[in-house]
Amino acid sequence: MTTKSFTQYATEGDATASTNTGNAANTDIDEANVASRRSFLGKAGFLTAAGVVGPVLSTSANADERRGFFGDDVKPSSGKDLASKLRNDTFGTLHSKDLRKKAYKARIKSAEDEYNQEIPPQPNNGDETRYPKYISVATKGLKHDANGHVVPASYKSLLKALQTGKHQDFEKIILGGTTKLADPEGPLTTALEGISNAQLAIPQAARLDSVELAADHIELYWQALLRDVPFSEYRNDTTNELVKAAVAELNSLPAFNGPRQNGNVTPETLFRSTAAYVDYDTDPTGKTGKYVTPPGTLDGPYISQFLLRPIPGWGTIAGQPQLRPIQKAGESFGTSFDDWLKIRNGISTGKTITVESGRRHIINGRDLAFLARNSGPTYLHLLQILQTAPVAGNPLAGGIGAPLNPANPYVKSKTLGSGSSFSGSFIQGLVALAGPLAIKASYYQNWYVNRRLRPEDYAGLVHKIKANGAQYPIHADILKSDVLARVFAAFGSYLLPLANNVGAPTHPGYPSGATISAATPITLLKAFFDENYVIPNPVQVDPNDPTKLIPYTGPALTLGGELNKLVNNIGYGRNFNGFHVRSDISASHTLGEALAISILSDQNPTYNEYFEGYTFTKFDGTQITI
C-alpha cells in the first residue's frame, strides 16, 4: 500500500487531523461515530491472527504524493525564495513546525487506525467452570493439596486479581512456595506501537477431554523419549526404532495436526512446523483453528541455518561458531509424584541439571531444549548474519549477505543512501521492540483468555488415572497409547519426563511466549529482507563430529524458509523441555505474525520517502503488503 508523503500529514489544514475524527486538537474518540462505522468481520482492516491487513491507504500515488516536502509543483524562483520557504518558524530553522505537526498527526492516525479495528471473538473452552477442583487450568506456583489439586482459595485469589486488574490484588495472590508467577499484570499495560493485546486472536484452546489435546500430548511424550536421538535420524530411510514407532503412532491419530507428506506423517515431517489461524471462513465464532505448514519448513536439515552459522563480529569482536553446552544424556526430572507435586507448588526438588564438559552444535532435542530454555533473544544476531557478506566457499566466515526487500525505497534510489529510516539501525530498533510487545500479547492470552493447563499438569491427571484409578475426563487415545506404556517402562510412572529441574514457567501454556517472541521479529525480518534469496554456503552438522559443520548439498534453502524454520526450532525447543504442546506453538506463529504486521503498519504514516509497502509471505503461504 502507498503511504502518504510528508506534505499530506504535515501541511493538511489544522482543523483536520484525520478524516475519521475531525478536530486535531480533540483527541477524545467519538465512540458513537466509531461504532457506526464498524461492520464485524467484513471490515478490511480486521486485525487478528487469521488475517491481518494494515491501515487502508491509497494504493496509487496521487499528485500530492509526488510533490515532495512542500506540497506543490511550483519551484522557488530564486535562492532567496527557497530560503524563505524553508524557514517556517521564528527561529529560522528548517521544517520545525511541519515536523512537529507531522509527528502529532502520525501518532493520531496510527492510534485511530488501530482503535477502529474490531475486537475479535476471544472464546475460551469453558473448562474452568465445566470441571470441579480447577483440574483443567494452569495452577503452577499456586498452593496445592496432597493430590495436586489447587487449593480453591489460592486459585480464587488469582481470579480476583485478574478480574480487578489492581496491583494490590496481584500482591495478595496465595502462592504454594517461593516461586513467583510469570507476570499476570504485564498484559494490562499498553504500548505506543502495535495493536492492543485484546485485538489479536488465536483459535479456541482444545478442551481437556478432547481427542485433539490427547494427540498433542502423545506427540509430546514421544518428544521426551526421542530427546537424545539425533535429528539426522529423522529421515525416511532411518533404522532408529523409536523414530519409526513415533511415526507409526502419530499416523494412527486422525486428530493429529502435524505436517504430512502425501497424507502421511514421516520421519522427515516429525516435529516440524505448523501454524494455526482462526478459521473465520467456516466458523465466524472464532473457535476453530486451521493448521498449515509454513513455506520452506520441510526443506533441508531440521535445524535452521540461523542456529548453525557463526555470528559475524562487530568491530574487533570475532564471530564464534554457535556451539552449545551439552546436558547429560538421559537426564529427566519430575517423574516421581513427590517431585511432580513440589514442581506444581513452585518448591525446589533439590535436583540440578548436569552439564557435561565440551560444546557442540545442536544435534538432538536435548540440545534444542537447552538452547530454548537458556538463551536470551537471538534475533539481533540474525541481523548480523543477514547483513554481513558471505565468503565464497567458506561457510564459517562472513554471513549470508541477504539483499533488502526490493520495495525498500533506498534500493533503487540513484542519489540517496539510507542511514535512519529503512536502515539497519531502523530494522534493529523494531526487532528489539518486538520482544516485550510479543510477551505481553502472549501473556494476555495466557492469563486473561485461556488459562489452559500445562503439559506437566495434564500428565499428572494421566498418571493418577493409570496408577491410582482416579477419574478425570482425559481422552482414551492417550491412556491406551504405545508411548505412555514406553514411558512407564522407562521411568516407573506416567508423568511427563521433563528436561529441566523446575518444569515449565509459572504462567498458563496456551499459547507459547517464547514462540511468539520468535515469530514477531522474524516476521519483521521477512518484510525487511528479500525472502526469496537463496542462502549461500548452506551447512549442516557433521554426523561424525558434532563440533564441526560440513556443506549441505540438498535442495536450495531460501531466506524465508529458514526464518520460518527458526520459529519452529525455538517453539519445539520448548516442547522438548516439556513446556508446551503443538497447538501452543502453532497459535503463537500467527499471533506473532499479526502483532508484527501491526507494528509495520504503525510505521507507514511516519515516512517521508515514497513507499508502496513491503510485500512478503505469511506463514500460510499467502502474500500481504504492508
Side-chain angles (χ1 to χ4, degrees), residues 149-171:
H149 297 138
V150 68
V151 173
S154 179
Y155 193 71
K156 289 177 181 177
S157 70
L158 169 65
L159 288 180
K160 180 180 179 180
L162 296 176
Q163 290 161 358
T164 68
K166 295 180 179 179
H167 179 74
Q168 56 267 37
D169 288 333
F170 285 104
E171 291 294 329

Side-chain angles (χ1 to χ4, degrees), residues 224 227 327 330-335 351 366 491 497-500:
R227 207 173 272 145
Q327 184 178 339
E331 193 168 61
S332 296
F333 300 90
T335 56
K351 297 179 180 178
R366 188 175 299 277
F491 298 99
L498 304 171
N500 79 323

Side-chain angles (χ1 to χ4, degrees), residues 219-240:
E219 180 186 36
L220 191 66
Y221 273 100
W222 276 115
Q223 283 189 256
L225 289 186
L226 286 164
R227 207 173 272 145
D228 294 306
V229 174
F231 292 131
S232 58
E233 290 295 334
Y234 293 15
R235 62 181 194 277
N236 289 344
D237 62 350
T238 185
T239 59
N240 187 279

Side-chain angles (χ1 to χ4, degrees), residues 406-571:
N408 187 308
Y410 289 93
V411 169
K412 297 179 181 179
S413 176
K414 297 178 181 179
T415 60
L416 304 177
S418 175
S420 55
S421 56
F422 297 95
S423 67
S425 60
F426 174 75
I427 299 170
Q428 186 179 92
L430 289 185
V431 168
L433 173 69
L437 296 183
I439 286 293
K440 287 195 293 185
S442 180
Y443 282 8
Y444 178 79
Q445 292 289 330
N446 292 150
W447 289 112
Y448 293 91
V449 180
N450 297 292
R451 297 190 287 280
R452 187 170 80 176
L453 78 175
R454 288 274 190 171
E456 62 197 47
D457 310 338
Y458 185 97
L461 301 178
V462 169
H463 173 80
K464 287 186 282 184
I465 293 171
K466 295 286 288 184
N468 304 328
Q471 298 294 313
Y472 295 111
I474 299 297
H475 196 275
D477 276 4
I478 192 165
L479 301 177
K480 62 185 182 182
S481 65
D482 176 29
V483 71
L484 198 63
R486 290 172 183 262
V487 166
F488 182 79
F491 298 99
S493 79
Y494 300 97
L495 298 166
L496 179 67
L498 304 171
N500 79 323
N501 57 332
V502 297
T506 52
H507 64 80
Y510 183 73
S512 161
T515 309
I516 183 179
S517 294
T520 306
I522 284 172
T523 299
L524 294 174
L525 293 173
K526 288 197 295 181
F528 291 132
F529 290 90
D530 183 353
E531 64 184 349
N532 297 314
Y533 179 64
V534 174
I535 293 179
N537 299 334
V539 295
Q540 60 187 345
V541 180
D542 185 341
N544 299 314
D545 184 352
T547 68
K548 296 180 180 179
L549 297 172
I550 58 176
Y552 162 75
T553 58
L557 304 177
T558 65
L559 174 62
E562 290 303 291
L563 287 175
N564 288 344
K565 190 185 294 182
L566 179 58
V567 179
N568 193 65
N569 284 169
I570 298 300

Side-chain angles (χ1 to χ4, degrees), residues 258-283:
R260 299 171 186 265
Q261 290 178 330
N262 300 319
N264 294 313
V265 179
T266 72
E268 292 177 6
T269 68
L270 195 61
F271 311 142
R272 296 259 186 164
S273 179
T274 51
Y277 289 83
V278 183
D279 190 1
Y280 291 108
D281 290 337
T282 60
D283 182 4

Side-chain angles (χ1 to χ4, degrees), residues 209-351:
D209 61 358
S210 68
V211 65
E212 294 86 359
L213 197 58
D216 270 356
H217 284 85
I218 289 171
E219 180 186 36
L220 191 66
Y221 273 100
W222 276 115
Q223 283 189 256
L225 289 186
L226 286 164
R227 207 173 272 145
D228 294 306
V229 174
F231 292 131
S232 58
E233 290 295 334
Y234 293 15
R235 62 181 194 277
N236 289 344
D237 62 350
T238 185
T239 59
N240 187 279
E241 294 301 325
L242 271 182
V243 171
K244 292 193 287 187
V247 167
E249 180 149 67
L250 294 176
N251 266 315
S252 73
L253 304 174
F256 178 61
N257 287 315
R260 299 171 186 265
Q261 290 178 330
N262 300 319
N264 294 313
V265 179
T266 72
E268 292 177 6
T269 68
L270 195 61
F271 311 142
R272 296 259 186 164
S273 179
T274 51
Y277 289 83
V278 183
D279 190 1
Y280 291 108
D281 290 337
T282 60
D283 182 4
T285 68
K287 295 179 180 180
T288 306
K290 179 181 179 181
Y291 281 76
V292 298
T293 302
T297 54
L298 299 183
D299 299 335
Y302 185 85
I303 296 298
S304 169
Q305 293 294 297
F306 294 103
L307 290 179
L308 295 176
R309 305 182 75 98
I311 301 170
W314 277 325
T316 59
I317 303 174
Q320 297 294 324
Q322 296 194 41
L323 300 173
R324 309 289 176 182
I326 306 169
Q327 184 178 339
K328 182 180 178 181
E331 193 168 61
S332 296
F333 300 90
T335 56
S336 75
F337 191 81
D338 286 345
D339 284 352
W340 175 85
L341 186 57
K342 287 178 180 178
I343 289 172
R344 303 292 309 114
N345 280 306
I347 298 172
S348 172
T349 63
K351 297 179 180 178

